[in-house]
Amino acid sequence: MVNSYSECFDQIAGFQPLYKGYREARKGKRYSGEVLGFSKNLEENIHELSDKLLVGSYRPKGFKEFKLYDPKEREISAPYFRDRVVHRSLHQSLEPFFDNKFIEHSFACRKGKGTHAGVRQAQSFMRKQDSSYFLKCDVKSYFDSVDHRILLEILSRQIRDERITDLVEVILSDPGERGLPIGTLYSQLFANVYLNEFDHFVKQGLQAEYYVRYMDDFVFFSDSKQRLHELREASQGYLKSRLNLKLPYSKTSLEPAGKGLTFLGYRIFPGHRKLRKRNKKKFKHRLKTQKQALSRDEIDFSELKASIDSWKGHAQHADTEELKKKYIGEL
């Protein structure tokens, strides 16, 4: 495995990588006013971005802030399009290098991974003869708590070109000294890079074989409650001392595997899976609302079908045949 990222800054700030970043950033948004405005003078705008990046004068424009309720309130920070072009270029250059350093059982925001793969792996561990208990943990206010100084130290140990870490520092300067804004592509990558330090401590330092992480949620499995208590104490100590993160007891739970693990939208048991009650309630309400909208000709059937298909895609990874018949059998 290559231990340091050796590509030069031109692979991020040059015209071609920025153009590729532009093409990625505009997907699904080609006809928005902001994208059309940038595209009108595309070559000029990309050259201007490239020049500013190369001389070190690039500064982000900030964020468009809004709130999302799904189901709890989240503050979303949406970058302006010209900044998303830079974020895409940075991500497409750094992501393959760092992804190769991530452990196998880290599942968030990675190609070929995702929630369903994480659920399958958690259930696979639950079926082990020596996994009769699980310890589920959730880092407190993770995205708001990432320490920029520590993150930059982690990056600088692995990236040779200081101009790249300087750019990251410029991008991070918007939220202040701590925190990664929800709604940006770079936040997903850097959030994984940050906790990758913890992942390797778990695997190499603690020798924990049965461990799954999806962003700030992670689970240990063992046949020993004492072992899980020790893993919790060690995790709390490492996260606090090395990454300046909190893992309060209120954010952890140690239970028998037979009781079921609530993880990534499912209730997981060794032999089967169920959807969380919250997911079922949320879909039932949305389905009722969309049926009413359909009857008033406010939406067409294709929109209703797309919503149902999306939920069915999620539901098919659990034992939900009766549930699907109950909610959508007549459609």
Side-chain angles (χ1 to χ4, degrees):
M1 182 185 295
V2 178
N3 290 323
S4 61
Y5 177 84
S6 57
E7 296 291 336
C8 67
F9 191 55
D10 289 355
Q11 297 302 311
I12 295 169
F15 183 90
Q16 287 301 325
L18 285 171
Y19 178 69
K20 185 178 178 183
Y22 155 78
R23 290 178 62 86
E24 289 294 317
R26 74 175 185 176
K27 285 182 177 178
K29 303 178 179 66
R30 293 180 65 176
Y31 302 108
S32 74
E34 193 180 4
V35 177
L36 288 172
F38 189 92
S39 303
K40 185 177 180 180
N41 300 301
L42 178 60
E43 189 170 338
E44 178 183 339
N45 285 329
I46 292 182
H47 274 302
E48 181 183 358
L49 262 184
S50 179
D51 290 343
K52 287 185 175 182
L53 286 164
L54 290 169
V55 301
S57 64
Y58 165 78
R59 295 295 181 272
K61 285 189 173 182
F63 297 97
K64 295 167 284 185
E65 307 281 356
F66 61 95
K67 292 181 179 179
L68 184 68
Y69 301 87
D70 189 29
K72 63 182 180 181
E73 180 181 313
R74 292 183 181 274
E75 193 77 34
I76 304 299
S77 301
Y80 288 90
F81 182 73
R82 52 93 78 167
D83 294 328
R84 293 209 308 272
V85 171
V86 176
H87 299 168
R88 282 283 177 180
S89 184
L90 179 69
H91 185 272
Q92 68 198 10
S93 186
L94 294 183
E95 190 270 340
F97 167 76
F98 280 106
D99 191 76
N100 282 332
K101 302 176 87 62
F102 296 157
I103 66 168
E104 180 184 0
H105 296 147
S106 168
F107 288 93
C109 307
R110 298 179 63 193
K111 294 176 182 178
K113 301 289 185 178
T115 56
H116 299 139
V119 168
R120 288 194 298 271
Q121 186 59 66
Q123 188 176 48
S124 174
F125 284 153
M126 292 178 81
R127 289 170 172 167
K128 302 285 187 182
Q129 290 185 346
D130 51 351
S131 291
S132 49
Y133 298 95
F134 66 80
L135 170 67
K136 182 188 173 187
C137 305
D138 181 359
V139 177
K140 182 179 180 181
S141 304
Y142 176 53
F143 277 82
D144 290 336
S145 302
V146 170
D147 188 308
H148 294 175
R149 177 185 57 81
I150 297 174
L151 174 59
L152 289 166
E153 286 177 0
I154 293 169
L155 294 173
S156 64
R157 291 200 303 266
Q158 301 175 75
I159 297 175
R160 293 180 182 177
D161 194 327
E162 290 184 6
R163 292 176 297 174
I164 298 175
T165 51
D166 288 344
L167 173 60
V168 173
E169 187 169 8
V170 166
I171 291 173
L172 290 176
S173 67
D174 264 3
E177 296 180 358
R178 293 172 73 91
L180 295 172
I182 297 174
T184 64
L185 185 64
Y186 69 80
S187 291
Q188 298 173 3
L189 176 61
F190 293 154
N192 266 336
V193 169
Y194 201 76
L195 276 181
N196 185 52
E197 301 287 299
F198 175 66
D199 290 340
H200 284 280
F201 167 72
V202 166
K203 300 301 287 184
Q204 280 89 53
L206 300 180
Q207 296 289 300
E209 183 178 1
Y210 303 149
Y211 166 78
V212 177
R213 181 173 69 81
Y214 191 97
M215 202 51 74
D216 54 327
D217 291 332
F218 56 93
V219 190
F220 295 100
F221 303 87
S222 175
D223 61 350
S224 167
K225 293 176 71 173
Q226 179 60 35
R227 168 67 167 157
L228 292 176
H229 282 299
E230 292 170 355
L231 288 171
R232 176 163 55 189
E233 295 297 327
S235 298
Q236 287 175 321
Y238 183 93
L239 290 169
K240 178 61 179 175
S241 64
R242 299 294 293 275
L243 298 177
N244 200 12
L245 298 173
K246 294 179 180 178
L247 185 66
Y249 280 101
S250 61
K251 305 285 278 185
T252 67
S253 58
L254 198 165
E255 302 285 354
K259 187 174 180 179
L261 164 66
T262 301
F263 188 53
L264 303 181
Y266 297 89
R267 189 78 173 162
I268 308 168
F269 299 85
H272 64 285
R273 308 171 200 156
K274 295 181 178 180
L275 288 182
R276 294 184 64 182
K277 290 182 179 179
R278 187 174 72 187
N279 180 280
K280 291 185 283 187
K281 184 177 180 180
K282 181 179 173 183
F283 174 72
K284 184 178 179 180
H285 174 74
R286 186 170 78 236
L287 183 62
K288 179 181 178 181
T289 302
Q290 289 182 320
K291 282 182 178 179
Q292 292 171 345
L294 181 67
S295 68
R296 296 192 297 265
D297 294 325
E298 295 173 355
I299 63 172
D300 59 36
F301 186 75
S302 64
E303 292 180 69
L304 175 61
K305 184 177 184 301
S307 179
I308 291 171
D309 288 344
S310 175
W311 184 80
K312 285 170 67 177
H314 179 72
Q316 71 180 2
H317 294 273
D319 302 301
T320 53
E321 286 306 313
E322 292 302 317
L323 191 65
K324 285 187 281 188
K325 289 177 184 178
K326 177 180 177 181
Y327 287 169
I328 57 180
E330 71 273 19
L331 292 173

